[in-house]
Structures are given as structure tokens and as C-alpha cells.
Amino acid sequence: MREVVLVYLDRSGGLQKFVHDCKKYNDSKQSYAVYRFIISINPSDIAELDATLGNYILHNPLQAAQIFQSVCFVAIKTLSLIEQLQTEAQISILLKPTHLPPLPSYVLSLSAYPFNYTSQRFYMSEGIVIAMGTVTKYTQGARFLCTEETCPFSEGRFRCIRVHCPGATESATVRTDFVCSLCSSPLQEDMKFRVLGDKQIVEMIDAKILNALKGYSIDKSYFRIQAFTLFLR
């Protein structure tokens, strides 16, 4: 599947964009714990190259991103695109599909029952924004060092880093109770390597509520509007 990923990136122009993004990181004077890349993918084109990979991207996007991560790391090291990069874990890949299959199973509808949305895969959702919060910062990645000076993980290498994953809370990336996996001593964040991003909280209601507001509701005694929250990062 790694070979298919490389072929697709080359054919779709994604590899050229990736090289350009790497150049911006390499030319920057800022130090990064995590290098974040957004890769646009067309599920249909990938499925034509390899059906297994296409299905993997649609239904296991977090695991599929690890395959792209491995390919991108090899490309960076082979072409010497980012001199500061040390480990594969420093690369954060966000897969951004251009579209999803026009099938009911790919539509997220909170007005339907039961709510069988336990899998961490892509869904489409259509709704009406009723409230928006202000844009704030969140931590995309951070580096931690062991507080025990004799521990190898206390050195200035990127052995202990935390990367934000979709669906994770802020405390999963940054908090004060992390311990070293080698000696169990407390870890301390190296603040100069923290990578920040923008996030915004949005309140939405299902688009089907428009029919109810027009008077199409069959039984108004069971009529209820329930908003849901989106985190835009």
C-alpha cells in the first residue's frame, strides 16, 4: 500500500505540494516538534489504483494516515527536504477527502435512530449553524523531556512527543502527569517546541429541521430540536 500511496501522490500532484510544504518548514527559523501536512485525496481515484487502500482510507482513516506518514517520512529523508526532522513520529498527516461515496451509510444524520456512529471514519453532515465561538488556540504537538538527568530521554532529541489526533481532548496532548517510558520519572514539556493551531466551536442543527419549521411535522407533541457541537481545527 505504501507503493500505491507514492504512485497516487505523484499522479495527483500531491507530491509536488508536499515538497513545497516541506520547503516552507525547512526555510522557517522556527523549531517544530511536529510537522503537520494536509493531503487532499480522491477516494475514487485511490480505489481504482488499489481497492484495499481505498477501502482502508474510507473506513480506517487514522490508520491509513499512518501509511501516508511512513511514505512522507521516507520521502523527506531521501530527498533531504527537512533537515531538522529526526523521527517519523514528528510527522502529522491529515487526510482530506475531496468527496465521499453518495451512499446513506456515509451520511451523519442525528435525526435518525439508532445512532450507530461508533467507528472513527469519514461522514458527511449537512446542517444549519446557529452559533459560533471565537477562534482560539490549541496544541497540535509538543515535545517532552525526562526530568531525570541520567536518563537518555532527557537529551534534546524528539523521543517523547505528543501529537493531537482527531477526536482527542486537549489533556491528551498536554498535561503535567506524563511519565518517562524508560525510567518512569516525570516528563516536562519543552515549551519552545510547542506547535499551536486554531480551533473554533460551532453549534449546528440538522438540516431536516427546516421541514418541521415549515409545518411538516406529523406529531408536534414529539417535536424537539437538538443541537450538536463541532470542533473546527
Side-chain angles (χ1 to χ4, degrees), residues 9 29 47 66 70 93 102 120 133 174 204:
L9 290 177
K29 296 181 180 180
Q66 295 177 358
S70 178
I93 299 296
Q120 293 183 326
V174 177
M204 294 183 64

Side-chain angles (χ1 to χ4, degrees), residues 29-224:
K29 296 181 180 180
Q30 182 179 351
S31 299
Y32 294 90
V34 176
Y35 298 88
R36 187 168 183 262
F37 299 94
I38 300 176
I39 299 180
S40 296
I41 54 175
N42 186 320
S44 300
D45 291 345
I46 294 180
E48 289 182 2
L49 288 174
D50 188 279
T52 302
L53 179 60
N55 184 70
Y56 204 54
I57 290 173
L58 289 174
H59 299 94
N60 299 280
L62 297 183
Q63 290 75 17
Q66 295 177 358
I67 301 176
F68 281 78
Q69 178 188 35
S70 178
V71 172
C72 291
F73 177 73
V74 173
I76 290 175
K77 285 301 184 181
T78 303
L79 302 176
S80 301
L81 299 176
I82 302 178
E83 297 179 0
Q84 306 93 327
L85 181 70
Q86 296 183 14
T87 65
E88 183 178 321
Q90 288 181 260
I91 301 176
S92 176
I93 299 296
L94 177 63
L95 299 180
K96 185 178 180 181
T98 56
H99 66 281
L100 292 179
L103 299 172
S105 59
Y106 291 95
V107 177
L108 175 65
S109 176
L110 297 182
S111 64
Y113 184 86
F115 306 125
N116 296 323
Y117 303 116
T118 56
S119 63
Q120 293 183 326
R121 66 175 179 86
F122 291 117
Y123 290 97
M124 294 181 291
S125 180
E126 183 180 20
I128 305 167
V129 176
I130 60 174
M132 298 178 64
T134 58
V135 177
T136 58
K137 296 293 183 181
Y138 79 102
T139 303
Q140 291 181 348
R143 181 178 83 161
F144 292 82
L145 297 175
C146 183
T147 54
E148 175 57 50
E149 295 182 357
T150 59
C151 178
F153 286 5
S154 65
E155 301 174 356
R157 293 183 60 84
F158 294 90
R159 290 169 171 166
C160 301
I161 62 174
R162 304 290 297 183
V163 181
H164 179 272
C165 294
T169 60
E170 302 294 320
S171 61
T173 308
V174 177
R175 60 175 188 259
T176 59
D177 60 347
F178 291 131
V179 296
C180 178
S181 60
L182 190 63
C183 67
S184 299
S185 298
L187 293 177
Q188 185 176 11
E189 183 186 356
D190 189 351
M191 293 297 296
K192 65 177 177 290
F193 285 96
R194 178 180 286 195
V195 181
L196 299 177
D198 294 332
K199 74 172 182 179
Q200 188 174 22
I201 299 177
V202 175
E203 290 286 332
M204 294 183 64
I205 55 177
D206 196 287
K208 292 182 179 179
I209 194 63
L210 288 177
N211 292 332
L213 294 177
K214 292 177 181 178
Y216 297 154
S217 178
I218 298 176
D219 191 345
K220 293 188 177 181
S221 62
Y222 295 99
F223 179 74
R224 182 180 179 219

